[in-house]
């Protein structure tokens, strides 16, 4: 029996399949549960240059159809990455994507240079974390700051560079185009949506940090919309992310135009979900007679041609 | 809960026996105990039954009417028996997730993830053990009693409760040969000064090598004080809001003393059991 | 037995209770189900000046924890409002809030003047409908366009004027402050979030209009966050809207700072929900010994004082 | 479904008997019929049983494992009996909502909203009725047979199906005294030319005053053609995606001919029954 070809190309990189974890929802600890080499790629939790503690607890709370988090970016810093994490991940075949972030353009650029090491396949620029600056501010909120930070990063690394967008901006397409213009090799749509939840008994916010990022199935329609918008506006590939939990979700993002997908919160509900999605996608392709994912990606049928 | 996954077999890490697994367990019974608590007994596959006292599971709770627990809920292992393929949790109904658990009936399935975290240790030097806990904390410490008996240690369990009838796990502790002392709010014996005097007397009698406790700030502070004064080590099982339960998300950190530094450790991974001396109340 | 006082003040207006419908999810048809005079106010579907057909079907689809709509604003125009709707609603005691919208500032201003009629208690300016312009564009996406349109509306009417915001903007607080500066008497947070859904079997968008507005419990954390942000930034009252379905939801918005709330999508799941929420709120106040909602509104406890 | 409301009594509009209500019904049975369809029989309160043939309910479907129907699902009334307090729906499993319905067992509760919309009319001039429908459409037309009998009309029911065994409601139609003609795909009798010839023959015999039909574009176009040619009026029950079901949201519009204009009407409010002549296929 011939097995289907699940491989996808994201720019210059080829992944054995389109399923990879979303930054911050994955670590070596998941190898307790299944062989991480089945994944299309490994995307690490965002690192920042120095050591950081992250936000006050409680850092998570659950919602109808999703969760809020305000983890912040607790980081052991660049040294820990180079000396401990990189060697660990180098033992896997799956390509390694390193997510980085910083408060300032200078620090961001320096970090991009520092993580451009053998064994790193791509850099994901987390220009969209709602938990670093007050009120969800981030470089990816505006095209101009996006352009500037991407230009600085591009100058520092020859590795494929991905820009991770935020659903909190009012101009996602302009932000994506700004990132592309300044050399982004892929766009990731998207990070978490800024939200809040209050415990009505204590009248306190349910997160120590008051506001936090919403993820899970509840944000899927927003992330899918951004994926569709960006895939139609950009020449570079788009990687879908937000609320993906089932095979239908994966297909929905691929059909909307995603070249690959990232799975985050679903792993918290079911740590085996990514391995299962790969198996289910393969079975589905075989059952449908789909030989390559190129037949699926971007195949959305818009009534009367393009959307308004 | 919004996704009830059908667990397919997934490839294990090469050369590694999975430390934990996501598995479908079958409910054998789910019965009220003591008014406030419920005992859930599951038929669980062997792959999740290589447990240690103090470890926990993440349960994907059923959805009770009109509520929407989304994340898994952490629950200490109350009992486990690899031979009989049984797993038990003792829980208190607190909110949406535990209300969902309470809807389970014999024959229902429950998606469990575990065993997770680091359990209690029992170094050889610790021959005379004293366990002090209250409420659901006593559930977490229950499997310790069996471990103590198996390893031939002597165990004194101080069970604190609002009233004598509400003291948990007393019979269970006794069945594993522990001496049980019930303290309660009604006669004031559960208050810190009374409790501290009680434990001081035991220490004076030379019969405490180590403490085990759980959760409560008040008890922790007291045991830290006693431990420091008399050089008695011990372990505490702690709680924190969790998302993944596996160590990936950094949700569940708490601060700990490490020499002169304060460091964050993940309750789900480095814990839930920590040295009493390093915990911060 | 003394009954609790559920009344709330929104600017100069006093409502018998804080529960009112959200625009577009309410009409005289609901009187088939319960007495509409129990409501704090009546908020009508947005009207535009001329006759309009609205968007192609399917106009709705359901999601996990919510729905998408791309109704558009089918409108029978100003004449129908004056000659048929206004007389109908005038028979009720509950104050009438008329929602208006337009493509151009001129048309918007003219409509504001035209609906400023006896029997109208307030005008809600729908400057946030994602279904009128392509890609969810709306005046409330930016502070400058918000300021301009509100200035024009303010010049045309002496009625209390509410500005309805969109969660699709990256700068909700700046938009709210712009509306307030130009004379808005209240801020409504918020309209629907732009989303998309694809039927993986047909590969077609599940809405005829491709994208649409997401509503229901899934958007609640976003709307609550905006309500909190705006209530803290603005002097004028804020009306919460987005995903409210239960008594706890109502309390959550009031605690976050809302002076009143609007209930939309929940009415589709349970047409009696608003009447039930009023009864439940009254029972809750009595059980808790809360004599006035002033004790609840804005009572959120922020750890260590204000949020970052 | 994400909110399962507990229905409190709410104040009715003054001086008005509520036209419809949200009510909790109890499942009496939920049985497969014919392989593809299921018959759901409910014990429902009298307040929702003042129904007319052609009206529908909005059902808040239970959540099947791993799926999340959120909006209510419209279903035509298949049977109603105010005396016996019974309400019936005949449904085909199509997706999440109807899969949820299929999980209902006797004794379960189901939140129903109805009766909704405008039912079929039966003016005195319409003495000889012809009903033409297919599949689940026959469910919608079923209560019409009883109405015809009660009003002393003669009814011919042309039931179209893939194969003779799959023709729905045949016995029900007969029990109300209708003449039943089954046409099907296997012998081609369900194809438009064959069907049209059959009906033309009936018309020629002078025995058709009005048509009733449902859903299918193909049948609608044919009946519009025949109706125009012979001056035979009729009614059609139509479908559209719905949210509120009450007329509030404007989701469910369809275009209709009104003189020379095309107007939008709400299927849930002005319909689901419309004059065949005004419908647009
Ligand atoms: C390692 C560990 C072991 C535990 N063992 C037990 C046990 O054996 N028996 C028992 O009854 N309870 C135990 N708890 C507490 C139990 O997890 C919570 O009572 C439960 O999660 C409450 O969920 P809920 O939805 O019913 O309540 P809610 O209050 O509605 O929960 C809301 C959220 O807060 C979290 N949460 C609430 N209370 C706690 C808590 N104390 N610790 C961490 N997160 C919490 C929930 O997981 C959920 O995400 C343990 C907690 C931890 C961390
Ligand atoms: C007035 C009316 C009466 C109906 N009567 C019957 C009946 O008696 N028996 C029966 O089996 N079916 C009937 N239908 C169709 C029935 O409503 C759909 O089959 C059902 O909603 C499908 O829901 P689902 O979740 O199982 O399928 P899905 O395809 O997953 O539904 C997705 C969404 O599309 C909507 N939808 C799907 N099909 C239709 C449709 N044909 N018309 C309107 N909305 C649809 C659903 O309501 C839901 O919102 C009727 C429809 C209408 C409008
Ligand atoms: C607990 C948690 C931590 C996260 N940390 C990061 C992070 O460090 N960097 C980042 O770019 N995104 C982070 N994210 C966002 C996810 O990568 C992802 O974009 C988002 O959760 C949406 O996908 P999902 O719905 O599949 O989770 C985090 C999300 C969660 C839930
Ligand atoms: C079907 C539908 C139609 C709507 N039409 C309008 C409208 O005409 N004008 C408007 O300001 N908001 C409109 N809205 C948005 C609602 O008023 C409300 O802001 C939004 O749905 C969020 O609240 P909810 O989650 O309670 O529905 C509409 C929403 C829905 C679901
Ligand atoms: S719960 Fe995720 S790291 Fe502990
Ligand atoms: S479904 Fe809302 S108007 Fe018909």
């Amino acid at each position: 029996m011939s097995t289907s070809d699940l491989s996808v190309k994201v720019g210059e990189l080829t992944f054995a399949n389109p399923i990879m974890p979303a930054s911050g929802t994955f670590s070596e600890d998941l190898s307790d549960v299944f062989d991480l080499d089945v994944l299309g790629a490994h995307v690490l939790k965002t690192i920042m240059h120095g050591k950081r503690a992250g936000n006050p607890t409680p850092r998570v709370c659950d919602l109808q159809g999703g969760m809020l988090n305000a983890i912040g970016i607790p980081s052991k810093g660049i040294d820990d990455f180079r000396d401990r994490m990189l060697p660990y991940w180098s033992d896997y075949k799956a390509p390694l994507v390193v997510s980085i972030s910083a408060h300032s353009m200078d620090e961001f650029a320096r970090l991009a240079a520092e993580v451009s090491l053998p064994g790193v396949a791509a850099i994901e620029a987390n220009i969209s974390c709602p938990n670093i600056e007050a009120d969800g501010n981030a470089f990816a909120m505006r095209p101009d700051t996006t352009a500037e930070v991407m230009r600085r990063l591009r100058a520092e690394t020859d590795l494929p560079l991905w820009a991770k967008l935020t659903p909190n901006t009012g101009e996602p397409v302009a932000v994506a185009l700004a990132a592309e213009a300044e050399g982004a090799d892929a766009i990731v749509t998207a990070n978490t949506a800024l939200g809040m939840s209050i415990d009505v008994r204590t009248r306190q916010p349910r997160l120590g940090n008051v506001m936090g990022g919403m993820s899970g199935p509840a944000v899927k329609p927003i992330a899918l919309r951004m994926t569709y918008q960006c895939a139609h506006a950009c020449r570079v590939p788009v990687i879908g992310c937000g609320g993906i939990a089932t095979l239908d979700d994966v297909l929905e993002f691929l059909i909307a135009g995603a070249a690959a997908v990232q799975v985050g919160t679903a792993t918290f509900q079911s740590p085996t979900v990514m391995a299962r999605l790969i198996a289910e996608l393969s079975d589905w392709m075989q059952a449908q007679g789909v030989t390559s994912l190129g037949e699926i990606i971007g195949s959305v049928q818009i009534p009367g041609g393009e959307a308004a | 809960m919004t996704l009830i996954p059908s667990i397919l077999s997934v490839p294990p890490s090469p050369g590694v026996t999975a430390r934990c697994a996501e598995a479908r367990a079958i409910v054998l019974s789910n019965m009220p105990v003591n008014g406030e608590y419920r005992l859930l007994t599951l038929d669980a596959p062997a792959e999740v039954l290589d447990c240690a006292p103090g470890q926990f599971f993440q349960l994907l709770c059923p959805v009770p009417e009109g509520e929407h627990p989304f994340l898994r809920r952490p629950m200490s292992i109350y009992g486990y028996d690899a031979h009989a393929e049984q797993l038990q949790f003792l829980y208190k109904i607190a909110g949406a997730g535990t209300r969902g658990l309470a809807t389970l009936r014999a024959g229902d399935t429950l998606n469990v993830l575990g065993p997770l975290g680091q359990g209690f240790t029992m170094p050889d030097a610790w021959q005379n053990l004293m366990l002090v806990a209250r409420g659901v904390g006593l559930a977490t410490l229950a499997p310790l009693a069996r471990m103590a008996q198996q390893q031939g240690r002597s165990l004194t369990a101080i069970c604190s409760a609002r009233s004598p009838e509400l003291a948990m796990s007393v019979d269970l502790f006794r069945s594993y040969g522990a001496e049980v002392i019930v303290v309660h709010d009604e006669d004031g014996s559960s208050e810190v000064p009374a409790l501290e005097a009680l434990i001081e007397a035991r220490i004076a009698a030379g019969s405490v090598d180590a403490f085990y406790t759980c959760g409560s700030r008040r008890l922790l502070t007291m045991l830290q004080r006693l431990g420091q004064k008399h050089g008695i080590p011990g372990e505490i099982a702690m709680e924190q809001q969790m998302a993944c339960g596996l160590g990936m998300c950094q949700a569940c950190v708490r601060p700990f003393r490490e020499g002169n530094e304060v460091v964050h450790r993940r309750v789900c991974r480095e814990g839930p059991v920590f040295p009493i001396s390093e915990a911060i109340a």
Side-chain angles (χ1 to χ4, degrees), chain A, chain B:
Chain A
M1 195 183 68
S2 76
T3 52
S4 334
D5 177 12
L6 275 72
S7 72
V8 290
K9 270 186 66 100
V10 176
E12 290 164 21
L13 299 170
T14 300
F15 299 129
N17 65 66
I19 310 289
M20 62 181 96
S23 176
T25 64
F26 176 73
S27 73
E28 57 196 80
D29 305 288
L30 194 60
S31 67
D32 282 354
V33 185
F34 68 91
D35 177 7
L36 303 184
D37 243 346
V38 302
L39 297 171
H42 295 153
V43 184
L44 304 189
K45 169 82 183 165
T46 300
I47 57 172
M48 293 179 79
H49 182 79
K51 288 196 185 179
R52 291 164 48 88
N55 284 326
T57 55
R59 289 179 170 184
V60 291
C61 71
D62 67 355
L63 303 172
Q64 182 164 342
M67 62 177 286
L68 287 180
N69 89 78
I71 305 289
I73 312 278
S75 170
K76 295 197 173 142
I78 178 70
D79 296 344
D80 181 73
F81 169 72
R82 199 182 34 233
D83 303 341
R84 196 186 57 82
M85 295 181 77
L86 188 54
Y88 172 84
W89 290 104
S90 300
D91 286 348
Y92 286 100
K93 288 189 300 289
L96 183 67
V97 180
V98 176
S99 170
I100 59 171
S101 196
H103 287 282
S104 72
M105 305 257 178
D106 286 346
E107 199 185 305
F108 219 139
R110 180 158 58 120
L111 190 55
E114 285 170 332
V115 300
S116 296
L117 298 167
V120 176
I123 294 177
E124 182 174 278
N126 176 0
I127 54 175
S128 49
C129 181
N131 291 321
I132 306 186
E133 305 287 340
D135 280 329
N137 251 320
F139 295 117
M141 289 297 285
R142 299 217 320 263
D144 56 351
T145 44
T146 299
E148 195 178 337
V149 72
M150 292 306 292
R151 183 160 53 238
R152 294 291 306 275
L153 298 178
R154 184 70 292 168
E156 297 294 337
T157 183
D158 294 329
L159 287 174
L161 184 60
W162 300 355
K164 187 165 177 185
L165 266 47
T166 169
N168 300 318
T169 180
E171 24 188 0
V173 172
V175 168
L177 290 172
E180 178 180 83
E182 296 299 342
D185 299 292
I187 303 293
V188 183
T189 43
N191 215 310
T192 52
L194 192 65
M196 182 172 177
S197 180
I198 295 174
D199 182 327
V200 299
R201 273 146 292 271
T202 64
R203 301 196 192 171
Q204 289 179 353
R206 291 170 71 208
L207 293 178
N209 202 41
V210 183
M211 294 181 239
M214 183 158 101
S215 61
V219 302
K220 195 185 72 170
I222 298 176
L224 184 79
R225 179 259 300 173
M226 286 179 68
T227 300
Y228 169 78
Q229 289 177 313
C230 293
H232 279 243
C234 296
R235 277 165 295 109
V236 298
V238 175
I239 298 168
C241 176
I244 296 170
T246 66
L247 174 63
D248 273 4
D249 297 336
V250 171
L251 294 173
E252 204 178 353
F253 276 83
L254 297 180
I255 290 168
V261 297
Q262 297 185 343
V263 178
T265 304
T267 291
F268 300 165
Q269 283 207 322
S270 174
T272 52
V273 69
M274 287 187 285
R276 209 163 56 236
L277 288 174
I278 295 163
E280 288 177 0
L281 181 60
S282 170
D283 290 351
W284 179 86
M285 287 174 71
Q286 222 139 34
Q288 301 286 315
V290 171
T291 54
S292 135
L293 289 173
E295 299 168 36
I296 306 300
I297 293 169
S299 63
V300 58
Q301 305 289 318
I302 300 297
E306 275 297 317
Chain B
M1 181 179 49
T2 49
L3 162 77
I4 308 177
S6 56
I7 304 157
L8 297 186
S9 64
V10 293
S13 293
V16 180
T17 24
R19 216 183 63 101
C20 62
E22 186 184 343
R24 222 177 245 268
I26 312 286
V27 175
L28 294 174
S29 64
N30 187 21
M31 304 204 303
V33 181
N34 233 345
E36 285 186 304
Y37 302 90
R38 277 168 184 264
L39 178 64
L40 176 65
T41 305
L42 302 173
D43 177 353
E47 46 168 350
V48 301
L49 289 172
D50 187 10
C51 304
Q55 284 190 303
F56 70 102
F57 274 74
Q58 283 267 73
L59 309 182
L60 195 59
C61 303
V63 180
E65 191 165 307
E67 296 186 292
H68 310 90
F70 180 82
L71 296 169
R72 287 172 180 263
R73 301 298 196 245
M75 285 291 158
S76 301
I77 300 163
Y78 183 69
Y80 60 96
D81 184 335
H83 238 64
E85 303 211 327
Q86 287 196 8
L87 183 59
Q88 288 186 311
F89 300 97
L90 188 77
Y91 64 98
K92 184 171 172 173
I93 297 184
T98 45
R99 269 193 290 275
L101 285 183
T103 66
L104 287 170
R105 281 179 267 172
D108 289 349
T109 57
L110 178 70
N111 179 309
V112 303
L113 168 67
L116 300 167
Q118 310 300 328
F120 293 102
T121 62
M122 209 169 267
D124 288 343
W126 299 3
Q127 289 297 324
N128 298 299
L129 313 178
M130 174 173 279
L131 167 173
V132 192
R134 187 176 166 96
V136 138
L138 288 160
T140 305
L141 297 180
L144 202 64
R146 191 174 66 170
M147 187 179 176
Q149 188 184 47
Q150 280 166 350
Q151 308 221 358
R153 316 291 166 96
S154 105
L155 175 66
T156 306
I158 303 185
C159 303
S160 172
R162 268 192 286 132
S163 65
E165 320 83 68
L166 293 176
M168 297 289 308
S169 308
V170 167
D171 296 341
L172 189 89
F173 285 126
R174 288 213 176 100
S175 75
Y176 289 120
E179 177 197 1
V180 175
I181 303 172
V182 174
V183 296
H184 55 93
D185 301 356
E186 287 181 0
D187 69 358
S189 57
S190 60
E191 276 161 38
V192 167
L195 206 52
E196 195 157 355
L198 172 73
I199 300 173
E200 283 277 15
R202 292 293 177 130
I203 295 171
S207 64
V208 185
D209 298 335
F211 295 124
Y212 290 96
T213 191
C214 198
S216 147
R217 258 161 202 260
R218 241 164 27 101
L219 294 182
L220 171 59
T221 317
M222 179 189 72
L223 292 177
Q224 283 182 325
R225 192 162 55 229
L226 287 167
Q228 204 161 21
K229 185 163 159 201
H230 301 287
I232 301 173
E235 292 185 337
I236 179 169
M238 303 193 89
E239 298 188 356
Q240 184 59 282
Q241 307 286 117
M242 294 185 176
C244 71
L246 284 164
M248 302 188 284
C249 74
Q250 313 271 351
C252 64
V253 297
R254 294 184 68 107
F256 291 88
R257 258 179 240 110
E258 211 173 85
N260 289 327
E261 269 187 296
V262 169
V263 298
H264 274 148
R265 294 185 191 149
R266 295 165 297 183
V267 169
C268 77
R269 190 81 191 179
E270 284 84 45
V273 175
F274 297 96
I276 286 180
S277 58
E278 298 176 4
I280 296 180

